[in-house]
Amino acid sequence: MMTKDHKYRGPGGNPYLPRLATITKLYPETPNIISLHVALNDKKEMAGFSFEPGQVAQLSLFGAGESTFVINSAPKQKDYLQFSIMKAGEVTSAFHELSVGAQIGLRGPLGNCFPYHEFGKKNIILIAGGLGLAPLRPLMFHLLTERRKYADITLIYGARTPDDLCYLSDLDDWEDHGNVKIIRTIDREVPGWGYKVGFVPTIVSQVAPAPKNTVAVTCGPPIMIKFVLVELEKLGFEPHQIYTTLERRMKCGLGLCGRCNIGPKYVCIDGPVFSLAELKKLPNEM
Amino acid sequence: MPKSITQDKLADWLNRISQKYQLWASQEREGISLLSPYQPEAGFTLERIPQLSAKGVLFPQSECMLKYCYKKDPDNPEQTDLSLEGVEPHLKTVIWGIPPCDVAGINFFKHVFTGSGYHDPYFKARHSECLIVALACQQPETTCFCTAVGGSPVESPGADLLLTRIDHEYVVEAITPKGAELIDEDLFGMPEEKILKVVEQAKKSACKSLEAPFKLESLPVTADKMLKVFESPHWKEATRACISCGICTFICPTCYCFNMADEAQGMCGERLRCWDACMFPGYTLEASGHNPRLAKFQRYRNRLSHKFSYLITNNQVLGCTGCGRCIKECPAGIDMRRIIAHLLKEV
Amino acid sequence: MSELLNELKEKVAGVLPKVTCFIGYGAGFDPLRVAPVFIRKTEDIDRLQWNRFCVHNLATYLPPHKYPPGFLFEADEKIGILLKGCDSRSVVQLLQEGIIDRRKLVIIGLPCWGMIDVTKLQGRIDINKVNRVELDEQTIMVFTNQAEVSADVSELLYDKCKACQHPNTLIYDEFMGEKRELTKDIEPFTQVSQLEQMGLSARAEFWDKQFARCIRCKACRNVCPLCYCQNQCLLDTRVPHWTKERVDAQSNRWFHLIRAFHLAGRCTDCGECARVCPMNIPINLLPMKMNQELFELFNWRAGTREGEKPPLMSFQLEEEKIS
Ligand SMILES: Cc1cc2nc3c(=O)[nH]c(=O)nc-3n(C[C@H](O)[C@H](O)[C@H](O)COP(=O)(O)OP(=O)(O)OC[C@H]3O[C@@H](n4cnc5c(N)ncnc54)[C@H](O)[C@@H]3O)c2cc1C
Ligand code: SF4
Ligand code: SF4
Ligand code: SF4
Ligand code: SF4
Ligand code: SF4
Ligand code: FES
């Protein structure tokens, strides 16, 4: 999918070295997620930076360390890259302490992308939970730039509570101007919530998208993905019609440090996007 | 033509090499033989294979990858600038007196760190300026099985020089022109014809003394078979005693996994890479608490499957040189030869 | 020895219906080594061995914190285990700490005459080339293809065995053989006292050299039956950042000293941490030093008196030796 030309070369040809970047905007997305706009300090590099939906970058906050995040801005956006960071451990917590102007490091783009060029003329159903919408966001932006190439686009998006839903204004925008059908859900009933209630996999089975001429793309917490895959297969989706992104503990992002493997595949270079057909060939070690 | 050097001149030879290169040779330290930077007063030993493999010379246990510094802008205290500096090692090195399985380990590193994917610039820089002097093994240890994994105790492709000991004499074969440059004429002589015959004889008997604990078919078939036994209950059976330590991976000439972590000192600091091991539970632990390889049998299975399957699929190499260190040093007596032999019989 | 082995097999045959697994010793990779075995079926009982190489402290497999249910044993499994005197001290200590459940344990005890430290043969013969061993009560003969050597067993014993004060299993459900009587009084902390005679700077140099060799493989910690913190261990956390990433003498010292403190009055002197160290670091001397302190302060030796409360798990308003 990604060819060798897309390798991250790094300053001086050292792929472990990040490029310097600045946080140009920072705002809370949910109570424990912030979104950042990041611009490479080198203007020319920023303008020349291109990535595909689904690709990630390694962000460094020196002293705390480096972590993997999906680039979730529109691929067309050339002024900055957007990331959303959930507070989890050392590095992510340190990012939550930053403010605009902070200097960080960025390595990327890394990893493969969604094979959207195979989606032409098809119905597309996107299924996301919580911050799992992040990798689907650039994909949606991309699909909408050439909206006419695709048939129906549906997004099933759930979170634990209404507060945990990300990118709310995008959702409205896609619904109003993008000809996208959006189904919102939360885990438990909350007063004033006018949409669906229930876990994402349950909603998938309720909505029951027809598998014919359709591809499904899902991303979210591992447990959600697991059950969504089950539901989709029950609905008659073939493994090659289903795509998901996987998470593994990562360090190098280059296929060298060893830790992110599932059998012979490395999530950092062979993923994070996998079709269910590909996953079925791998040892069962989720 | 092979040359030869007598035992009593080895120290002179090493002293000379150490003037031009950073020289690594085995030293006897507290009852173990350790590959160390050569110091004339500390001497050297060729008696046993080094406790740790030679990988640490080209892939040190802790290595600085970059240095960073945050600085407050004096004109604008709100603003903090960042500077970054890559660190690339450049050192002419000789690794002296290592067994062929350790040379094989370095050849293996070439595949994974400078193969078809991303290259590791640190290893590459070190490796490109490194010469290797191998020592043929004549009395393999009970844990050695290099011949079962495509190696030989007495040949050493990838080395620059090969030494074979006959009594008090070392016969030296130059494998590469660079290796030949290490041979200083005045210290070396021409071995007698009969010595060369003894060398041949000794090499043959060393090979014969090695029993193969298992028989591998072609690499792709091995890779395939090992994938087929992924669900075998034997993994769990055979690894109950494992204590999930880092011994088998750290001492292994091919285990290359590493961690990257920052070490700050005030506003500045460095990013280090340090050896890591797929046998540690924390290796795959995600921030959410999820761990895809929580059980030790899963981790052990990953270790052997990586070596005997995944690496073949991805890099067309086997990840084991048969040095036997992981068997010899395992605190729980886990013997990978038996496990591989058992598993291969299951398919 | 061989009578004891036969008796052991009979005993295990009797115990096996009551437990799901029996932990004992089986063959190792050469005649000088054994390895822990986990017996689940009657036909595997014949794999059991008992000889002068059975040094591993099998108690390390018991704390469920170390091996969460499902990953070595299931939560409800009842386990049988063979324990030497020193190993049984670990079990007593684990019981006192409330870590294991005595009701889920069937212990077979025996008298122990000391284990052979094969590394003490190194120098006389290459211990990694041994293909045959002949052993009786007093003498061991070891053969390689090139050489042979014979030695007195008593010389080759582990240091802990030379100083052993509890050669009989302390708590057990079944005991095999005759209890061994100790014939002379032994000072338990000789190794520590010897080190202390060295003087401060010589000692600092000694330890710096040891810590410089440490590769932080964590085997010493992982093999220890009392080190059951696992991912909460100071070595495995970055927040707080107790140990530096760089593996060097300085940060290794930090790790080992803190570990020794954590083992104060808990270490049962099984010596496993030193045995497993691939870099030959006598790392057990640090917890042993703490043990010496606790012995002098509280007359306490971990794991020797069933039912008592460890001094660092209790407190008194007035401590006799602390002011
Ligand atoms: C392909 C991919 C895309 C991701 N995209 C996003 C995103 O867009 N937004 C977001 O908030 N999070 C994302 N994550 C998860 C994010 O990388 C982890 O939450 C983060 O690394 C945790 O780091 P920490 O230092 O805070 O946690 P700690 O628990 O302190 O982890 C220490 C180190 O372990 C590694 N690590 C731990 N957990 C993970 C993990 N789940 N994945 C990868 N490395 C891990 C990191 O190198 C981290 O620095 C993504 C993960 C992957 C694999
Ligand atoms: S050396 Fe042995 S005990 Fe340690 S991790 Fe490897 S197999 Fe397990
Ligand atoms: S796996 Fe074991 S025998 Fe094979 S190379 Fe590594 S340490 Fe040596
Ligand atoms: S066996 Fe484990 S530690 Fe060794 S190279 Fe493979 S994944 Fe890394
Ligand atoms: S310390 Fe005592 S009980 Fe333990 S092995 Fe030695 S002699 Fe046996
Ligand atoms: S076993 Fe030895 S080398 Fe390993 S961490 Fe402990 S002291 Fe260090
Ligand atoms: S993150 Fe290093 S190999 Fe994938």
Side-chain angles (χ1 to χ4, degrees):
Chain A
M1 222 165 288
M2 296 309 296
T3 58
K4 277 195 183 132
D5 316 322
H6 286 81
K7 266 188 189 168
Y8 172 68
R9 283 184 43 78
N14 181 344
Y16 294 111
L17 288 191
R19 294 178 182 142
L20 298 186
T22 305
I23 296 182
T24 56
K25 190 172 169 188
L26 187 151
Y27 55 93
E29 191 70 60
T30 73
N32 68 345
I33 299 172
I34 51 167
S35 282
L36 323 167
H37 291 186
V38 176
L40 294 175
N41 290 359
D42 186 318
K43 295 242 153 42
K44 267 210 333 250
E45 277 181 354
M46 185 67 242
F49 191 99
S50 73
F51 73 96
E52 298 280 350
Q55 285 197 287
V56 303
Q58 295 275 352
L59 296 187
S60 285
L61 186 52
F62 298 96
E66 203 179 30
S67 272
T68 317
F69 304 99
V70 162
I71 311 174
N72 68 46
S73 39
K76 261 195 339 194
Q77 175 56 262
K78 293 289 175 189
D79 298 335
Y80 63 85
L81 303 166
Q82 177 170 318
F83 297 92
S84 302
I85 299 182
M86 190 198 298
K87 204 170 183 164
E90 188 186 5
V91 177
T92 49
S93 301
F95 266 98
H96 276 243
E97 303 295 309
L98 295 181
S99 43
V100 168
Q103 298 294 300
I104 61 171
L106 184 151
R107 292 194 292 135
L110 297 166
N112 73 353
C113 62
F114 293 108
Y116 55 83
H117 43 269
E118 293 167 16
F119 297 175
K121 300 212 175 78
K122 291 186 181 158
N123 301 316
I124 301 167
I125 169 142
L126 306 175
I127 304 159
L131 191 49
L133 189 52
L136 302 185
R137 188 173 183 255
L139 176 63
M140 184 71 96
F141 283 135
H142 185 83
L143 297 177
L144 295 186
T145 56
E146 32 187 44
R147 179 69 186 86
R148 265 169 301 150
K149 280 197 189 165
Y150 311 99
D152 292 350
I153 302 180
T154 310
L155 168 66
I156 300 176
Y157 181 43
R160 251 179 328 150
T161 71
D163 280 350
D164 294 308
L165 291 164
C166 301
Y167 317 121
L168 287 176
S169 63
D170 293 329
L171 295 182
D172 296 340
D173 207 38
W174 297 336
E175 198 165 37
D176 299 343
H177 308 290
N179 188 16
V180 176
K181 185 173 174 202
I182 297 190
I183 297 150
R184 300 169 178 82
T185 180
I186 53 170
D187 289 358
R188 255 177 289 274
E189 184 71 63
V190 168
W193 175 254
Y195 305 96
K196 287 196 183 286
V197 174
F199 295 120
V200 172
T202 321
I203 304 299
V204 171
S205 72
Q206 279 174 19
V207 173
K212 189 156 181 270
N213 194 37
T214 303
V215 289
V217 183
T218 178
C219 188
I223 188 78
M224 183 211 94
I225 296 187
K226 192 173 153 187
F227 288 108
V228 167
L229 296 180
V230 172
E231 290 303 333
L232 288 171
E233 287 203 281
K234 269 197 221 154
L235 289 168
F237 280 79
E238 299 280 337
H240 65 85
Q241 289 174 282
I242 307 174
Y243 295 89
T244 182
T245 76
L246 291 184
E247 211 174 303
R248 280 275 145 140
R249 186 174 174 127
M250 285 191 183
K251 282 291 165 186
C252 69
L254 310 172
L256 293 173
C257 80
R259 79 196 56 239
C260 71
N261 74 305
I262 302 176
K265 295 284 183 210
Y266 288 93
V267 171
C268 65
I269 50 171
D270 301 311
V273 178
F274 292 91
S275 72
L276 186 56
E278 287 170 301
L279 290 183
K280 290 206 163 186
K281 281 189 228 141
L282 295 178
N284 179 16
E285 206 172 61
M286 296 300 154
Chain B
M1 259 320 265
K3 298 277 168 58
S4 73
I5 182 169
T6 49
Q7 173 118 37
D8 54 331
K9 293 204 180 113
L10 287 179
D12 286 340
W13 189 28
L14 289 177
N15 288 339
R16 286 199 203 168
I17 298 178
S18 69
Q19 276 156 23
K20 286 193 232 151
Y21 299 85
Q22 179 180 50
L23 173 61
W24 290 75
S26 285
Q27 232 179 58
E28 187 75 25
R29 274 161 74 186
E30 322 280 327
I32 53 179
S33 158
L34 272 186
L35 211 51
S36 322
Y38 176 71
Q39 297 160 313
E41 60 287 0
F44 63 90
T45 176
L46 288 173
E47 286 309 314
R48 272 171 281 148
I49 74 170
Q51 186 80 356
L52 301 179
S53 82
K55 76 175 171 194
V57 178
L58 302 177
F59 173 58
Q61 174 156 27
S62 314
E63 165 160 44
C64 175
M65 309 182 90
L66 61 85
K67 292 181 195 274
Y68 70 87
C69 220
Y70 284 104
K71 246 198 224 96
K72 284 240 183 296
D73 185 339
D75 301 326
N76 176 7
E78 294 285 286
Q79 181 60 34
T80 310
D81 293 326
L82 168 66
S83 61
L84 209 61
E85 179 197 335
V87 180
E88 281 199 26
H90 281 292
L91 258 191
K92 290 172 91 173
T93 311
V94 171
I95 312 177
W96 190 86
I98 59 173
C101 53
D102 273 9
V103 180
I106 292 172
N107 295 340
F108 166 89
F109 263 78
K110 277 195 276 186
H111 277 101
V112 292
F113 275 4
T114 62
S116 55
Y118 279 101
H119 285 192
D120 185 275
Y122 309 97
F123 170 81
K124 208 170 166 176
R126 285 203 163 81
H127 181 260
S128 67
E129 306 212 41
C130 173
L131 296 178
I132 300 169
V133 181
L135 172 71
C137 303
Q138 292 173 31
Q139 293 156 10
E141 299 186 350
T142 41
T143 42
C144 294
F145 60 103
C146 48
T147 49
V149 287
S152 156
V154 294
E155 304 295 337
S156 196
D160 298 279
L161 285 182
L162 175 67
L163 310 180
T164 308
R165 178 179 176 173
I166 300 298
D167 296 327
H168 297 292
E169 198 168 340
Y170 288 81
V171 174
V172 186
E173 294 161 69
I175 304 176
T176 65
K178 270 193 178 165
E181 285 170 27
L182 286 177
I183 302 178
D184 287 320
E185 292 303 330
D186 58 323
L187 291 177
F188 290 77
M190 298 295 276
E192 289 175 43
E193 197 60 36
K194 72 167 194 265
I195 290 277
L196 292 179
K197 285 220 175 82
V198 178
V199 167
E200 281 320 302
Q201 216 37 58
K203 283 185 174 182
K204 268 191 203 133
S205 72
C207 291
K208 258 204 217 134
S209 73
L210 279 163
E211 285 165 34
F214 46 75
K215 240 182 110 53
L216 298 184
E217 288 161 80
S218 72
L219 289 187
V221 172
T222 304
D224 195 43
K225 281 192 167 182
M226 287 300 285
L227 211 54
K228 284 205 177 100
V229 296
F230 190 84
E231 301 289 351
S232 166
H234 190 62
W235 290 113
K236 198 164 184 176
E237 275 312 306
T239 59
R240 283 190 196 277
C242 170
I243 61 164
S244 301
C245 67
I247 293 183
C248 53
T249 43
F250 283 4
I251 62 178
C252 173
T254 67
C255 276
Y256 60 87
C257 289
F258 58 85
N259 188 21
M260 290 162 64
D262 290 6
E263 204 59 85
Q265 274 202 312
M267 299 275 280
C268 303
E270 52 184 7
R271 177 159 295 164
L272 291 167
R273 77 129 151 242
C274 303
W275 292 352
D276 206 342
C278 65
M279 301 303 280
F280 292 145
Y283 179 76
T284 44
L285 179 65
E286 292 162 22
S288 62
H290 175 67
N291 192 340
R293 291 197 285 265
L294 189 57
K296 57 188 177 180
F297 85 88
Q298 294 172 315
R299 299 193 287 272
Y300 192 87
R301 176 173 65 187
N302 183 66
R303 181 167 191 269
L304 287 200
S305 303
H306 189 211
K307 292 180 174 307
F308 287 83
S309 179
Y310 312 156
L311 278 159
I312 298 175
T313 307
N314 292 331
N315 304 77
Q316 297 76 50
V317 283
L318 204 63
C320 172
T321 73
C323 74
R325 287 185 176 93
C326 60
I327 302 159
K328 196 163 60 181
E329 293 302 326
C330 174
I334 290 176
D335 184 342
M336 60 101 94
R337 292 172 299 186
R338 288 193 213 161
I339 297 179
I340 295 278
H342 187 286
L343 289 166
L344 289 177
K345 271 191 219 126
E346 286 186 8
V347 274
Chain C
M1 280 272 149
S2 65
E3 296 105 74
L4 263 189
L5 178 58
N6 287 334
E7 196 179 339
L8 173 66
K9 288 181 181 172
E10 279 167 30
K11 285 237 148 62
V12 174
V15 162
L16 211 49
K18 288 180 262 174
V19 299
T20 50
C21 181
F22 185 86
I23 317 176
Y25 302 94
F29 68 83
D30 78 356
L32 287 175
R33 321 269 163 156
V34 301
V37 287
F38 295 75
I39 307 282
R40 287 180 176 272
K41 295 180 293 229
T42 322
E43 58 264 36
D44 283 342
I45 291 178
D46 261 339
R47 292 173 58 199
L48 284 170
Q49 300 213 344
W50 174 250
N51 56 37
R52 301 299 285 268
F53 305 116
C54 295
V55 62
H56 311 63
N57 180 356
L58 302 177
T60 195
Y61 298 110
L62 297 179
H65 301 61
K66 251 181 137 128
Y67 302 109
F71 294 124
L72 179 55
F73 302 117
E74 301 302 327
D76 51 357
E77 274 190 67
K78 191 166 177 178
I79 307 298
I81 191 168
L82 179 65
L83 294 175
K84 307 187 291 291
C86 49
D87 310 338
S88 69
R89 287 180 57 190
S90 309
V91 168
V92 169
Q93 179 69 23
L94 286 168
L95 286 167
Q96 287 166 344
E97 294 183 11
I99 291 300
I100 54 174
D101 184 349
R102 182 68 180 87
R103 291 165 305 179
K104 287 204 235 153
L105 215 53
V106 178
I107 301 169
I108 295 184
L110 39 55
C112 171
W113 295 84
M115 292 296 151
I116 295 174
D117 181 353
V118 295
T119 62
K120 291 190 174 168
L121 280 166
Q122 192 68 286
R124 291 199 235 175
I125 196 159
D126 192 336
I127 56 168
N128 296 318
K129 294 174 183 165
V130 171
N131 50 27
R132 192 157 65 87
V133 167
E134 282 172 22
L135 185 65
D136 63 29
E137 308 281 285
Q138 278 88 37
T139 350
I140 180 172
M141 303 237 331
V142 176
F143 304 82
T144 69
N145 280 336
Q146 292 82 28
E148 60 178 83
V149 64
S150 88
D152 263 2
V153 168
S154 61
E155 282 171 47
L156 299 180
L157 294 184
Y158 276 94
D159 292 341
K160 71 163 177 179
C161 301
K162 289 183 180 164
C164 178
Q165 293 183 318
H166 303 277
N168 305 304
T169 311
L170 293 167
I171 49 166
Y172 48 80
D173 298 284
E174 307 209 24
F175 197 89
M176 333 186 291
E178 303 245 329
K179 290 205 171 163
R180 173 182 161 197
E181 302 287 334
L182 285 182
T183 46
K184 53 179 191 241
D185 263 358
I186 304 152
E187 207 281 295
F189 304 110
T190 33
Q191 285 169 280
V192 172
S193 332
Q194 277 167 7
L195 206 59
E196 285 183 328
Q197 278 158 19
M198 277 168 71
L200 204 58
S201 63
R203 220 154 69 221
E205 197 183 315
F206 170 84
W207 281 113
D208 273 346
K209 263 179 40 202
Q210 307 295 339
F211 295 143
R213 284 207 313 285
C214 170
I215 54 172
R216 241 193 256 167
C217 66
K218 314 189 202 181
C220 49
R221 180 200 71 181
N222 288 13
V223 81
C224 174
L226 282 319
C227 270
Y228 46 72
C229 306
Q230 294 301 298
N231 288 335
Q232 269 40 265
C233 169
L234 69 129
L235 199 53
D236 286 334
T237 56
R238 261 182 69 90
V239 189
H241 200 39
W242 290 110
T243 37
K244 294 253 181 285
E245 301 290 339
R246 189 179 280 283
V247 177
D248 62 10
Q250 203 192 347
S251 59
N252 292 339
R253 177 197 302 132
W254 200 222
F255 160 53
H256 288 302
L257 288 179
I258 302 181
R259 177 170 176 267
F261 274 90
H262 288 180
L263 285 162
R266 303 177 58 238
C267 160
T268 51
D269 298 308
C270 70
E272 284 288 87
C273 47
R275 173 186 69 86
V276 301
C277 178
M279 304 307 276
N280 276 12
I281 300 172
I283 202 66
N284 63 324
L285 297 183
L286 292 177
M288 194 188 283
K289 169 66 191 163
M290 299 308 297
N291 284 350
Q292 184 193 36
E293 295 288 328
L294 266 89
F295 183 65
E296 282 164 12
L297 280 175
F298 304 111
N299 190 28
W300 174 258
R301 294 206 68 199
T304 56
R305 295 191 297 262
E306 204 193 344
E308 281 186 26
K309 205 146 186 75
L312 298 188
M313 288 179 75
S314 56
F315 87 103
Q316 289 168 353
L317 282 178
E318 299 289 328
E319 285 287 0
E320 200 184 323
K321 294 188 183 157
I322 305 174
S323 50

